[in-house]
Amino acid sequence: MIVILKQNSDKERVDRLMQHFKDMGLTIHYSQGENTTIFGLVGDTTKLDEGDIMAYDVVERVQRVTEPFKAVNRKFHHEDTVIEVAGRRIGAGYFNVMAGPCSVESEAQIVEVAEAVKRAGASFLRGGAFKPRTSPYSFQGLEDEGLKLLLEAKRQTGLPVVTEIMSEKHLDLFADVDIIQLGARNMQNFMLLKELGRSDKPILLKRGLSATMEEFLMAAEYIFAGGNTNVILCERGIRTFEKMIRNNLDISAVPLVKIFSHLPVIVDPSHAAGRRDMVQPLSRAAIAAGADGLIIEAHNDPKNALCDGAQSLDLPQFDAVMQDIRRRAAFEGREMMPQ
Amino acid sequence: MIVILKQNSDKERVDRLMQHFKDMGLTIHYSQGENTTIFGLVGDTTKLDEGDIMAYDVVERVQRVTEPFKAVNRKFHHEDTVIEVAGRRIGAGYFNVMAGPCSVESEAQIVEVAEAVKRAGASFLRGGAFKPRTSPYSFQGLEDEGLKLLLEAKRQTGLPVVTEIMSEKHLDLFADVDIIQLGARNMQNFMLLKELGRSDKPILLKRGLSATMEEFLMAAEYIFAGGNTNVILCERGIRTFEKMIRNNLDISAVPLVKIFSHLPVIVDPSHAAGRRDMVQPLSRAAIAAGADGLIIEAHNDPKNALCDGAQSLDLPQFDAVMQDIRRRAAFEGREMMPQ
Amino acid sequence: MIVILKQNSDKERVDRLMQHFKDMGLTIHYSQGENTTIFGLVGDTTKLDEGDIMAYDVVERVQRVTEPFKAVNRKFHHEDTVIEVAGRRIGAGYFNVMAGPCSVESEAQIVEVAEAVKRAGASFLRGGAFKPRTSPYSFQGLEDEGLKLLLEAKRQTGLPVVTEIMSEKHLDLFADVDIIQLGARNMQNFMLLKELGRSDKPILLKRGLSATMEEFLMAAEYIFAGGNTNVILCERGIRTFEKMIRNNLDISAVPLVKIFSHLPVIVDPSHAAGRRDMVQPLSRAAIAAGADGLIIEAHNDPKNALCDGAQSLDLPQFDAVMQDIRRRAAFEGREMMPQ
Amino acid sequence: MIVILKQNSDKERVDRLMQHFKDMGLTIHYSQGENTTIFGLVGDTTKLDEGDIMAYDVVERVQRVTEPFKAVNRKFHHEDTVIEVAGRRIGAGYFNVMAGPCSVESEAQIVEVAEAVKRAGASFLRGGAFKPRTSPYSFQGLEDEGLKLLLEAKRQTGLPVVTEIMSEKHLDLFADVDIIQLGARNMQNFMLLKELGRSDKPILLKRGLSATMEEFLMAAEYIFAGGNTNVILCERGIRTFEKMIRNNLDISAVPLVKIFSHLPVIVDPSHAAGRRDMVQPLSRAAIAAGADGLIIEAHNDPKNALCDGAQSLDLPQFDAVMQDIRRRAAFEGREMMPQ
């Protein structure tokens, strides 16, 4: 951490600030220029908060030198993390496709979709039981019942499942779920992050709509801090000024995760654009950029879907996209799960 | 709702779509042009979701005509809502200042600040017990203990209190809190919104960092949908590309709330910019734009604050800002609370 | 400028970098920590470019300490700049309202509007002759002819005029214009900035739609660098994710200009929101935040305006807004121009 | 165009609005609901401006049905446009790589780079003579002299050149340039767009930092409207809230251009992120998403580059990236230019 002091600062106040840093166990490198005095703070600065330091009126500016995340930082964990779940490996070149409907609607629907996406080569079944909806008047998911149907589809097809949690109170309900998804709107629901940190389930952490990459990695750090190191990151589009599409897939997120972290990262091309015809090109871009997998919406009957029909592939479309994905994963030298 | 069909759409599929709308109890105004066919849907369209309709492959585009929010919509409730709490009125020209430290740190601190802000003219004491922090390594608030100290300050000074809730599990702890704050990062924590909808406490709903005005009002609609009509909106800055300040106060939010809703709206000039020297000019802008109040960070010792010191006023600064606020509220013909 | 080196950097390469800085006449403060080596560069760093320094592979990060702008920086010019033009003073507490139609359409129209806005108390007549339009099929302004009509209105009413330049080639045409406006889309048209820098006309520099405050001030610095110190900044709304309004007025820009620069800053409430009913509340916020003036669209017949009718006030509405503005300027202790 | 009227609008005013549309040669489809009256306007609506219509006080909302761009719209020109220049074809599956330094610095430099990128397989040499720089104190390019050196490199190597124009006044200087680049900051410099529309040179049109896709295509429409149909679009990253990288490459732009337009689109992975280590993954994503080419910064000595060194590949790095690009273009079935 670099602390730049205001010109002509009162010496006594500067000394008090130096003492404050020393009390925190930090070493100070003091550099006195003509117009500028600089402190370089050495030691564990993850506990320091820029805002706190800025409160000292002798301080002009503060600049972090090292990233505020530690446990998820590649600097301190050079190898790619591989998460093993239900016989699948996620990360480090293993490639997984998670597919299924936006929401679970009935046993017939979820089983039909599960069978189809399994046949097409998906390694996980996704499906929403608890649905975050902008409007209280929109369909909110089948909730507990939806979860049961999803697990029934798992039983019938053998596909492990990934589904979204929306409340700390529901954790027990998710006991048989294979991967728990934390949605974009809850990426900084810190209580839920802490709760998931105490779990040992793999967590699919979706990036918030306007979360910086640093905040995204800090959310993963929360889960790690609780003891759960099974975190899969998911880029799903960010909010910008653009109006033609719902969100802008931030393809840079994929290589940035690979540079700064050891965690697996997958991409959601369905929610990113909100348009069916963008799923294939965005999937291709994600694979080429180095993503460890994809999560894709597929429905047996998109036009009667109870949510987000505009972005769902129908089953033949999904099958075609999967063939393309497999060809591309092979080109990239990635191993498709499951074997 | 306007539905624009694709050119040369299959008649049978169009009929199926029309039937779908009729089944939802909607009346259809059909308009056939040379290249364009348009449906105008009349009736209660709040249950319709644009994404669902876009799933029909005959549909080119969907455009909402009426706002998706009803209960909080000024069209259906012309009078300004006034919320009465602890002898204060909020909304409709009554002006409230809520003030206090970012976080409760000790009894001495919170009581000293409470006395000072009361003396200066604040009508509520704010203070964080549960703190949302980007880093798991930052101070997370005194939690239950902080809440107790806050209520102790209320007991000693008579100032009603406003403090943030971060978990559905904590609602019982907030029984003696006067106004429950829902933070920006939880604005679309729908489970917590529903829980607060079942409460009868006034809710201070902060706008999400990248929430559109429509989403902001829909979050309020969630609380109303649960039966709780005591919602105070709070604009606290939005996330943009700017780097000099933490967030950009969206001053337009104030008149937009007044145009589209009947709810009170206050402004948080402290979190908006994250700079102490911006609190006064942003407060002035907020009053002039028609805000019903302000929520301001004030601390007895900002430089030793355990969070967000950079934006906290010290007590003499707060006193000076309050004098300015009172003079301006009088100019605007607003009644300062409490009387 | 602070330069943070990568761990374990090759000594020889570091020496080469140090030599590079010394060759530029800079003094280096060298600080060697356990894991981090830091250079503090002292001297005139405005010529340094962060990107260039990052190219050295021993460099981890670069952080500017002093602002990259000098001539417009308040640090080196403490007094507010006051620009004198046509008997009006702009800046330092003098308050100006510039008003008129989006575009000049006919002599009758521009003279009628000029007389009305003068009567209401405006100190400048605005009106577009050359119009930047998103579509090549939209009305592009009356161009040279529009400029003549605007100057005719000036002749008949005595109101000085402000109008937008869109091409370096047109500078001669603007000889009798009092203030030349540079539009938001041309804020980083560097050739035009340089040309205006060689002029001695006051320049009304509008902030680009997504220009940071630093870039905004750097655009002013371009004009100063050419020798023209008559620059008036204009905040006119920034582009964000919000959909209810065209742009979000960045009210923070006003105090930030006052903190970092000595230049006058005015606000355009008409283009900011693009809605007539937002002009008054945004004007009020601007005055309260410390703006030195306003530029407002007013038209004798907004619904037949050839552009941007949605945001134009009609003449009685403008008159009402002006009465409100005068009352508020008086409250703030600002002197309305012209006296 | 759909026009939604306010409830209970005055009949006479509505009639006047209808007459206005009829006078413009439009046919009106009138739809009267219980609470809503809707006009559907049929005919050539590209000349209509939403703002103008919103000025009528009987109008509640306006919604465009057809895109405002015509000449560049795929609906009216189904085949991919192929631009032929200097024996290269651009678009429709032909793949071009344009490479070279940020700025031309000397004959030795530009010739060395030209030879190296040609050897590696680039089909065009890029290099800046006129440089848009945020600071007036930064190196502004060698200007006329730089252009001469670039053309000298073309003479020596046979590589056609692409370079940026910054002023209408310079068009004559660009007579021997093969492709004229219009930079992101000038994307809505409408005078320059018109001038380029009168030229017959291929134009590389870079997307503005916060330009919507619609605005981007409308800028191309300006060039078409002047008679020049040789436009190559270039996605180069958009401005968002993210701080780790300079801009966020909007990979969605590639498929969106393909859906809505017939123009070729290339990607600039160097400016997008501003980090050397992102060039390869972003290039891969661009090829996979369907881009018609890439424009990449390569320099013989990035750390001594006079601008943007942080993002330049050195020549061996560029060679490695090109080998990867060729392998991927082959996989995609694209024909690398030149043959």
Side-chain angles (χ1 to χ4, degrees):
Chain A
M1 188 96 75
I2 304 294
V3 178
I4 297 148
L5 300 190
K6 286 186 186 146
Q7 286 181 34
N8 311 318
S9 285
D10 180 67
K11 197 190 164 309
E12 197 185 328
R13 291 174 175 212
V14 173
D15 288 348
R16 225 178 303 145
L17 179 59
M18 290 182 78
Q19 194 54 50
H20 171 69
F21 291 132
K22 284 176 190 158
D23 292 349
M24 296 185 73
L26 299 166
T27 307
I28 302 174
H29 284 262
Y30 183 92
S31 163
Q32 172 70 59
E34 228 167 316
N35 298 301
T36 320
T37 307
I38 295 164
F39 288 176
L41 303 183
V42 180
D44 180 3
T45 59
T46 52
K47 270 165 290 181
L48 288 179
D49 183 277
E50 286 96 323
D52 296 355
I53 301 174
M54 284 297 289
Y56 282 83
D57 52 10
V58 296
V59 175
E60 168 92 26
R61 207 174 288 207
V62 180
Q63 169 68 9
R64 213 170 244 298
V65 176
T66 48
E67 295 84 18
F69 43 89
K70 281 191 300 193
V72 306
N73 197 329
R74 189 177 284 274
K75 268 189 197 146
F76 309 117
H77 185 296
H78 297 286
E79 297 298 301
D80 282 346
T81 282
V82 178
I83 292 166
E84 308 231 8
V85 49
R88 278 81 175 149
R89 271 161 287 168
I90 302 175
Y94 299 106
F95 199 85
N96 286 272
V97 179
M98 307 171 182
C102 174
S103 59
V104 179
E105 296 169 16
S106 70
E107 183 177 332
Q109 173 244 15
I110 192 67
V111 172
E112 181 185 346
V113 175
E115 283 170 346
V117 301
K118 183 183 180 187
R119 213 178 306 123
S123 54
F124 286 87
L125 173 65
R126 59 145 290 160
F130 297 93
K131 298 296 311 169
R133 302 302 301 269
T134 304
S135 168
Y137 311 121
S138 296
F139 173 62
Q140 309 276 315
L142 293 182
E143 309 193 332
D144 312 38
E145 181 59 21
L147 216 45
K148 275 183 215 150
L149 298 178
L150 187 68
L151 293 170
E152 177 58 27
K154 172 183 176 178
R155 205 190 53 75
Q156 291 189 29
T157 61
L159 266 191
V161 295
V162 51
T163 192
E164 179 166 353
I165 195 166
M166 287 180 63
S167 168
E168 303 157 63
K169 290 179 174 172
H170 293 164
L171 205 57
D172 290 347
L173 296 172
F174 283 66
D176 296 325
V177 165
D178 299 280
I179 300 179
I180 301 180
Q181 177 177 318
L182 188 65
R185 283 164 188 76
N186 277 319
M187 192 202 85
Q188 290 193 319
N189 178 340
F190 297 114
M191 288 298 173
L192 190 43
L193 284 169
K194 286 178 184 176
E195 204 69 64
L196 296 174
R198 284 186 283 268
S199 158
D200 58 357
K201 291 271 178 203
I203 308 300
L204 182 65
L205 177 65
K206 297 193 105 177
R207 182 177 179 187
L209 275 77
S210 65
T212 63
M213 288 304 296
E214 188 174 298
E215 289 171 337
F216 189 21
L217 291 169
M218 288 307 283
E221 187 88 10
Y222 257 94
I223 301 173
F224 267 69
N228 184 353
T229 61
N230 296 307
V231 180
I232 305 151
L233 301 172
C234 180
E235 160 62 31
R236 43 78 71 210
I238 57 173
R239 179 161 279 183
T240 75
F241 53 81
E242 179 58 47
K243 294 175 183 178
M244 266 194 189
I245 45 176
R246 197 192 296 161
N247 296 293
N248 289 67
L249 179 67
D250 180 17
I251 196 70
S252 307
V254 175
L256 285 174
V257 167
K258 295 294 178 191
I259 292 169
F260 287 99
S261 178
H262 50 85
L263 294 177
V265 57
I266 70 168
V267 164
D268 179 343
S270 305
H271 284 86
R275 286 177 66 116
R276 197 175 295 132
D277 55 5
M278 300 286 283
V279 173
Q280 173 143 318
L282 296 183
S283 295
R284 290 172 169 180
I287 299 170
D292 296 300
L294 294 161
I295 182 163
I296 297 178
E297 274 193 24
H299 196 282
N300 55 339
D301 184 13
K303 71 176 166 300
N304 288 314
L306 293 177
C307 70
D308 273 345
Q311 73 203 29
S312 278
L313 302 180
D314 65 25
L315 299 177
Q317 286 166 338
F318 177 72
D319 191 60
V321 166
M322 274 304 295
Q323 290 181 33
D324 184 61
I325 289 170
R326 277 204 300 264
R327 206 171 64 89
R328 287 169 184 275
F331 175 77
E332 303 287 349
R334 323 292 268 287
E335 192 175 333
M336 287 290 287
M337 290 284 108
Q339 281 308 54
Chain B
M1 188 96 75
I2 304 293
V3 179
I4 297 148
L5 301 189
K6 286 186 186 149
Q7 286 181 33
N8 312 317
S9 286
D10 181 65
K11 195 188 165 310
E12 198 186 329
R13 291 174 174 211
V14 172
D15 288 348
R16 225 180 300 146
L17 179 60
M18 291 181 79
Q19 193 55 49
H20 171 69
F21 291 133
K22 284 176 191 161
D23 292 350
M24 296 185 74
L26 299 166
T27 307
I28 303 175
H29 285 263
Y30 183 91
S31 162
Q32 171 71 60
E34 229 166 317
N35 297 301
T36 321
T37 306
I38 295 163
F39 290 177
L41 303 181
V42 179
D44 181 2
T45 58
T46 52
K47 272 165 289 181
L48 289 178
D49 183 277
E50 286 96 323
D52 296 356
I53 301 176
M54 284 297 290
Y56 282 83
D57 52 10
V58 295
V59 175
E60 168 91 26
R61 209 174 286 207
V62 179
Q63 169 69 8
R64 213 170 244 298
V65 177
T66 49
E67 294 83 20
F69 43 88
K70 281 190 302 193
V72 305
N73 196 329
R74 189 177 282 275
K75 268 189 197 148
F76 309 117
H77 185 298
H78 297 287
E79 297 298 301
D80 282 347
T81 283
V82 177
I83 292 166
E84 307 231 10
V85 49
R88 278 81 175 151
R89 270 161 289 169
I90 303 175
Y94 299 106
F95 199 86
N96 286 272
V97 178
M98 306 171 181
C102 174
S103 58
V104 179
E105 295 169 15
S106 70
E107 183 177 330
Q109 171 244 17
I110 191 67
V111 171
E112 180 186 347
V113 175
E115 283 169 346
V117 301
K118 184 184 180 186
R119 213 179 305 122
S123 54
F124 287 86
L125 174 66
R126 60 145 290 160
F130 297 93
K131 299 296 310 169
R133 302 302 301 271
T134 304
S135 168
Y137 311 121
S138 295
F139 173 60
Q140 309 276 315
L142 294 182
E143 308 192 335
D144 312 39
E145 181 59 21
L147 215 46
K148 273 183 216 151
L149 298 178
L150 187 69
L151 292 170
E152 177 59 25
K154 172 184 175 178
R155 206 189 53 76
Q156 291 188 30
T157 61
L159 266 191
V161 296
V162 51
T163 192
E164 179 167 353
I165 195 166
M166 286 180 64
S167 167
E168 304 157 64
K169 290 181 174 171
H170 294 162
L171 204 58
D172 290 347
L173 296 173
F174 284 67
D176 296 325
V177 166
D178 299 281
I179 300 180
I180 301 179
Q181 176 178 317
L182 188 65
R185 283 164 188 77
N186 277 320
M187 193 203 82
Q188 291 193 317
N189 178 339
F190 297 114
M191 288 298 173
L192 191 43
L193 284 170
K194 286 178 184 177
E195 204 69 67
L196 296 175
R198 286 186 282 269
S199 158
D200 59 357
K201 291 271 177 202
I203 308 300
L204 181 66
L205 177 65
K206 299 194 104 176
R207 182 178 180 186
L209 276 77
S210 66
T212 63
M213 287 305 296
E214 188 175 297
E215 289 170 338
F216 190 20
L217 291 169
M218 288 307 283
E221 187 88 9
Y222 257 95
I223 301 172
F224 267 69
N228 184 354
T229 61
N230 297 308
V231 180
I232 304 150
L233 301 172
C234 180
E235 161 61 31
R236 42 76 74 211
I238 56 173
R239 179 161 279 183
T240 74
F241 53 81
E242 179 58 46
K243 294 176 181 176
M244 266 194 188
I245 46 177
R246 197 191 297 160
N247 296 293
N248 290 68
L249 179 67
D250 180 15
I251 197 70
S252 308
V254 175
L256 285 174
V257 167
K258 294 295 177 191
I259 292 169
F260 287 100
S261 178
H262 49 86
L263 294 178
V265 57
I266 71 168
V267 164
D268 178 344
S270 305
H271 284 85
R275 284 178 67 116
R276 196 175 294 133
D277 55 5
M278 300 286 282
V279 172
Q280 173 142 317
L282 296 183
S283 296
R284 290 172 169 182
I287 299 170
D292 296 300
L294 294 162
I295 181 163
I296 297 179
E297 275 193 24
H299 195 284
N300 56 340
D301 185 13
K303 71 178 170 297
N304 288 314
L306 293 177
C307 68
D308 274 344
Q311 72 203 29
S312 279
L313 301 181
D314 65 26
L315 298 177
Q317 287 166 336
F318 178 71
D319 192 59
V321 166
M322 272 306 294
Q323 290 182 33
D324 184 60
I325 290 171
R326 276 204 302 264
R327 207 171 63 88
R328 288 169 184 274
F331 174 77
E332 303 286 349
R334 323 291 268 286
E335 193 176 329
M336 286 290 287
M337 291 283 111
Q339 279 310 48
Chain C
M1 188 96 75
I2 304 293
V3 179
I4 298 149
L5 302 190
K6 286 186 187 147
Q7 285 181 34
N8 311 318
S9 286
D10 180 67
K11 197 188 164 309
E12 196 186 330
R13 290 174 176 213
V14 172
D15 288 347
R16 226 179 300 148
L17 179 60
M18 291 182 77
Q19 194 54 49
H20 171 70
F21 291 133
K22 284 176 191 160
D23 292 349
M24 296 186 74
L26 299 166
T27 308
I28 303 174
H29 285 264
Y30 183 91
S31 163
Q32 172 71 60
E34 228 166 318
N35 298 300
T36 320
T37 306
I38 294 164
F39 289 177
L41 303 182
V42 179
D44 181 3
T45 58
T46 53
K47 271 166 290 181
L48 288 180
D49 183 277
E50 285 96 324
D52 296 356
I53 302 175
M54 284 297 289
Y56 282 83
D57 53 9
V58 295
V59 174
E60 168 91 26
R61 207 174 289 206
V62 180
Q63 168 69 8
R64 213 170 243 300
V65 177
T66 48
E67 295 83 19
F69 43 89
K70 281 190 301 192
V72 305
N73 197 328
R74 189 178 283 274
K75 268 190 196 146
F76 309 117
H77 185 297
H78 296 287
E79 296 299 300
D80 282 347
T81 282
V82 178
I83 292 166
E84 307 231 9
V85 50
R88 278 81 177 149
R89 271 160 288 167
I90 302 176
Y94 299 106
F95 199 86
N96 286 271
V97 179
M98 306 171 182
C102 175
S103 58
V104 179
E105 295 168 15
S106 70
E107 183 177 332
Q109 172 243 18
I110 191 67
V111 172
E112 181 186 345
V113 175
E115 284 170 346
V117 301
K118 184 184 181 186
R119 212 178 306 123
S123 54
F124 286 86
L125 173 65
R126 57 145 291 160
F130 297 92
K131 299 297 309 170
R133 302 303 300 270
T134 304
S135 169
Y137 311 120
S138 296
F139 173 61
Q140 309 276 315
L142 293 182
E143 309 194 330
D144 312 39
E145 180 58 22
L147 215 45
K148 275 183 215 150
L149 298 178
L150 188 69
L151 293 170
E152 176 58 27
K154 172 183 175 179
R155 204 189 55 76
Q156 291 188 30
T157 61
L159 266 190
V161 296
V162 51
T163 192
E164 179 167 352
I165 195 166
M166 287 180 64
S167 168
E168 303 157 65
K169 290 180 175 172
H170 293 163
L171 205 58
D172 290 346
L173 296 173
F174 284 67
D176 295 325
V177 165
D178 299 282
I179 300 179
I180 301 179
Q181 176 178 316
L182 188 66
R185 283 165 188 77
N186 278 319
M187 193 202 84
Q188 291 192 318
N189 179 339
F190 297 113
M191 288 298 173
L192 191 43
L193 284 169
K194 286 178 184 176
E195 204 69 64
L196 296 174
R198 284 186 282 266
S199 158
D200 58 357
K201 292 270 178 205
I203 308 300
L204 181 66
L205 178 65
K206 299 194 105 177
R207 182 178 180 187
L209 275 77
S210 65
T212 63
M213 288 305 296
E214 189 175 298
E215 289 170 338
F216 190 21
L217 292 169
M218 288 308 282
E221 187 88 10
Y222 256 94
I223 301 173
F224 268 69
N228 184 354
T229 61
N230 296 307
V231 180
I232 305 150
L233 300 172
C234 180
E235 161 60 31
R236 42 79 70 211
I238 55 172
R239 180 160 278 183
T240 74
F241 52 81
E242 179 57 45
K243 293 175 183 179
M244 267 194 189
I245 46 177
R246 197 190 297 160
N247 296 292
N248 290 67
L249 179 68
D250 180 17
I251 196 70
S252 309
V254 175
L256 285 175
V257 167
K258 295 294 178 192
I259 293 169
F260 287 99
S261 178
H262 49 84
L263 293 178
V265 58
I266 70 168
V267 164
D268 178 344
S270 305
H271 284 85
R275 285 177 67 116
R276 196 175 295 132
D277 55 5
M278 300 286 282
V279 172
Q280 175 143 315
L282 296 183
S283 295
R284 290 172 169 181
I287 299 170
D292 297 301
L294 294 162
I295 181 163
I296 297 179
E297 273 193 24
H299 197 283
N300 54 339
D301 184 13
K303 69 178 169 299
N304 287 314
L306 293 176
C307 70
D308 273 345
Q311 73 202 28
S312 278
L313 301 181
D314 64 26
L315 298 177
Q317 287 167 338
F318 178 71
D319 191 59
V321 166
M322 273 306 294
Q323 289 181 34
D324 184 61
I325 289 170
R326 276 204 301 264
R327 208 171 63 89
R328 288 169 183 275
F331 175 78
E332 303 287 349
R334 322 292 268 287
E335 192 175 332
M336 286 290 287
M337 290 284 110
Q339 279 311 46
Chain D
M1 187 96 74
I2 304 292
V3 178
I4 298 149
L5 301 190
K6 285 185 187 149
Q7 286 180 34
N8 312 317
S9 286
D10 180 66
K11 197 189 164 309
E12 198 186 328
R13 291 175 174 210
V14 173
D15 288 348
R16 225 180 301 147
L17 179 60
M18 290 182 79
Q19 193 55 50
H20 171 70
F21 290 134
K22 283 176 191 160
D23 292 350
M24 295 186 74
L26 299 167
T27 307
I28 303 174
H29 285 264
Y30 183 91
S31 161
Q32 171 71 59
E34 230 167 315
N35 298 301
T36 321
T37 305
I38 295 163
F39 289 176
L41 303 181
V42 179
D44 181 2
T45 58
T46 52
K47 270 166 288 181
L48 289 179
D49 183 277
E50 287 95 324
D52 296 355
I53 302 175
M54 285 296 289
Y56 282 83
D57 52 10
V58 295
V59 175
E60 170 90 26
R61 208 174 289 206
V62 180
Q63 168 69 9
R64 214 170 243 298
V65 177
T66 48
E67 294 84 18
F69 43 89
K70 281 191 300 192
V72 306
N73 197 328
R74 189 177 283 276
K75 269 190 196 146
F76 309 117
H77 185 298
H78 297 286
E79 298 297 301
D80 282 348
T81 283
V82 178
I83 292 167
E84 307 229 10
V85 48
R88 278 81 175 150
R89 271 161 288 169
I90 303 175
Y94 298 106
F95 199 86
N96 286 272
V97 179
M98 306 171 181
C102 174
S103 58
V104 178
E105 295 169 15
S106 69
E107 182 177 331
Q109 172 243 18
I110 191 67
V111 172
E112 180 186 346
V113 175
E115 283 170 347
V117 301
K118 183 183 181 188
R119 213 179 305 121
S123 53
F124 288 87
L125 173 66
R126 61 145 289 162
F130 296 92
K131 298 298 309 169
R133 302 303 301 270
T134 304
S135 168
Y137 311 120
S138 295
F139 172 60
Q140 309 276 316
L142 293 182
E143 307 192 336
D144 312 40
E145 181 58 22
L147 215 45
K148 275 184 216 149
L149 299 178
L150 187 68
L151 293 170
E152 176 59 27
K154 172 184 175 179
R155 206 189 53 75
Q156 292 188 31
T157 61
L159 265 191
V161 295
V162 51
T163 191
E164 179 166 351
I165 195 165
M166 287 181 64
S167 168
E168 305 156 63
K169 290 180 175 171
H170 294 162
L171 204 57
D172 289 348
L173 296 173
F174 284 67
D176 295 325
V177 166
D178 299 280
I179 300 180
I180 301 179
Q181 176 178 316
L182 188 66
R185 282 163 189 77
N186 278 319
M187 193 204 82
Q188 291 193 317
N189 178 341
F190 297 114
M191 289 297 172
L192 191 43
L193 284 170
K194 286 179 185 177
E195 204 69 65
L196 296 175
R198 284 186 283 267
S199 157
D200 58 357
K201 291 271 179 204
I203 309 300
L204 182 66
L205 177 65
K206 298 194 106 177
R207 182 179 181 186
L209 276 77
S210 67
T212 63
M213 287 304 295
E214 188 175 297
E215 290 171 338
F216 189 21
L217 291 169
M218 288 308 283
E221 188 87 10
Y222 256 95
I223 300 172
F224 268 68
N228 185 353
T229 61
N230 297 307
V231 180
I232 305 150
L233 300 172
C234 180
E235 161 62 31
R236 44 76 74 211
I238 57 173
R239 179 161 280 183
T240 75
F241 52 82
E242 179 58 45
K243 295 175 182 176
M244 266 194 189
I245 46 178
R246 197 191 298 160
N247 296 293
N248 290 68
L249 179 67
D250 180 16
I251 196 71
S252 308
V254 175
L256 285 174
V257 167
K258 295 294 178 192
I259 293 169
F260 287 99
S261 178
H262 49 85
L263 294 178
V265 57
I266 71 168
V267 164
D268 179 343
S270 304
H271 284 86
R275 285 178 67 115
R276 195 175 295 132
D277 55 5
M278 299 286 282
V279 172
Q280 174 142 315
L282 296 184
S283 295
R284 290 172 169 181
I287 299 170
D292 296 300
L294 294 162
I295 181 162
I296 296 178
E297 274 193 25
H299 195 284
N300 55 340
D301 184 14
K303 71 177 169 297
N304 288 314
L306 294 176
C307 69
D308 273 345
Q311 72 203 29
S312 279
L313 302 181
D314 64 27
L315 298 177
Q317 287 167 336
F318 177 72
D319 191 59
V321 166
M322 273 305 294
Q323 290 181 33
D324 184 59
I325 289 171
R326 277 204 302 264
R327 208 172 62 89
R328 288 168 184 275
F331 175 77
E332 303 287 348
R334 321 293 268 286
E335 192 175 331
M336 287 290 287
M337 289 285 110
Q339 281 308 55

